[in-house]
Amino acid sequence: MIIGGPAAAAQAAYYNTYTDIASTPDTSCCTGVQGFAAGTTYLYSIKNHTGYDDIAAIYRVNKTTGERVVMKNGTDNTSTNTWLGHGNDMTIVDIDGQHHMFVVTMEASGAQLVRLRYDGTTYYNAGSYQVRLNGAAATPSGIDRVSVTSTAITFMFKSGTTVYNGSLPLRASSGTIDLTKAFDLQVDGALVNGATVPDLGTFANQGFFYDEATKVLYYPLTKDNRSIVLVYRNVSPTTTGTAPAATDLSFRITSSAYSTFEIEGVGLSDGKLYFSTNRANSSGAFDGVHVFNGYVTA
């Protein structure tokens, strides 16, 4: 199903329509869509217990067929878990041929990062880590893998509009990640379809996605029924200062069907930009995973 109005012909690098792939309905007490990641075949979306951050569930959706499964917590043999806190963002890393999700919890105490090992539709608690900035607990809202070597995983973390670097030994199941500031992301004055959005500075921060192959960062922001994805080119762990938002590429959904339309996370797979949403109107919640129409990276 294709949703939204036609893209402006004069702005070939502006995308404002999308296609539903699958719904992610409430399950157990988990009603709020949070972290998202796009794999080669599947899309993964976290839902948590809104307002409590004590229980979470994970959906796996086949990006081609839309087949949807609530993943099983193999550690506790249930369909939910108690490890992910807010579960605001996640990234996928393969370690020794096994798939893992790294999830930021946004918890001020305990673990700020949790690692899940997964096989098919079953996942297991495989690690937890403290994240620190200048010696104090840090609660980043975004995470993405930058590189994996034979000994270490390097991540970008995001808190607000600031991006940080951090790393872990490849096989460590616990430990501390010390963040170092990399750069800030320009939001005020960013162009969306060639024009500024006057209240963009009041939009809520979400997760982000960094394409390490092209050094392009995708940053979703949301407010009420409006969601915008800004794009930043030529950024890397060595970037400093303020990264400017691209002036010739942007994404926006302004929904007439839903009074709440929040893009929670984005991810690339096969060059297409996928995303997850909290969507609602007076009839109820219609959360899901989707893909922007027409956008394919080179």
Side-chain angles (χ1 to χ4, degrees), residues 56-76:
I58 305 174
Y59 275 104
R60 189 189 81 168
V61 172
N62 186 300
K63 70 179 186 181
T64 302
T65 68
E67 179 188 12
R68 180 190 69 215
V69 176
V70 177
M71 297 182 72
K72 178 183 176 182
N73 169 2
T75 302
D76 294 341

Side-chain angles (χ1 to χ4, degrees), residues 1-7 16-21 279 291-294:
M1 178 168 57
I2 296 177
I3 314 285
N16 69 341
T17 66
Y18 67 100
T19 297
D20 286 337
I21 295 174
R279 297 186 304 181
V291 63
F292 276 100
N293 295 331

Side-chain angles (χ1 to χ4, degrees), residues 67-296:
E67 179 188 12
R68 180 190 69 215
V69 176
V70 177
M71 297 182 72
K72 178 183 176 182
N73 169 2
T75 302
D76 294 341
N77 201 32
T78 63
S79 61
T80 60
N81 70 80
T82 59
W83 315 314
L84 303 185
H86 194 69
N88 200 68
D89 199 12
M90 63 175 160
T91 189
I92 295 172
V93 180
D94 282 354
I95 302 172
D96 296 329
Q98 295 183 319
H99 304 310
H100 295 79
M101 302 172 183
F102 285 81
V103 183
V104 287
T105 68
M106 297 190 69
E107 296 291 305
S109 60
Q112 287 78 48
L113 180 66
V114 171
R115 174 164 63 103
L116 306 179
R117 176 177 60 84
Y118 67 98
D119 183 8
T121 59
T122 302
Y123 61 87
Y124 304 86
N125 190 332
S128 59
Y129 315 87
Q130 295 183 327
V131 180
R132 296 290 182 263
L133 178 64
N134 299 324
T139 57
S141 59
I143 183 173
D144 209 85
R145 178 200 68 206
V146 174
S147 63
V148 181
T149 70
S150 61
T151 59
I153 310 168
T154 301
F155 301 100
M156 280 184 181
F157 292 87
K158 185 179 70 65
S159 182
T161 59
T162 302
V163 175
Y164 299 88
N165 296 320
S167 63
L168 272 176
L170 181 66
R171 299 172 185 87
S173 59
S174 63
T176 300
I177 301 173
D178 292 311
L179 301 183
T180 57
K181 181 178 176 181
F183 55 92
D184 295 307
L185 299 170
Q186 176 207 2
V187 172
D188 290 338
L191 298 184
V192 179
N193 194 26
T196 59
V197 178
D199 60 343
L200 189 57
T202 67
F203 278 48
N205 282 285
Q206 307 290 21
F208 76 111
F209 176 78
Y210 177 66
D211 183 2
E212 62 269 24
T214 61
K215 297 184 178 180
V216 175
L217 188 150
Y218 298 80
Y219 175 28
L221 296 153
T222 186
K223 182 178 181 179
D224 300 325
N225 67 332
R226 293 178 291 160
S227 283
I228 286 168
V229 181
L230 299 178
V231 178
Y232 303 81
R233 295 193 180 98
N234 300 315
V235 293
S236 74
T238 61
T239 298
T240 59
T242 299
T247 60
D248 60 344
L249 175 61
S250 57
F251 303 79
R252 171 170 47 193
I253 302 295
T254 300
S255 179
S256 59
Y258 303 102
S259 54
T260 297
F261 189 101
E262 297 179 341
I263 292 181
E264 289 291 329
V266 297
L268 283 177
S269 182
D270 292 332
K272 298 180 181 180
L273 189 63
Y274 296 87
F275 62 96
S276 62
T277 60
N278 276 307
R279 297 186 304 181
N281 57 27
S282 59
S283 298
F286 300 90
D287 305 334
V289 292
H290 326 271
V291 63
F292 276 100
N293 295 331
Y295 181 69
V296 180

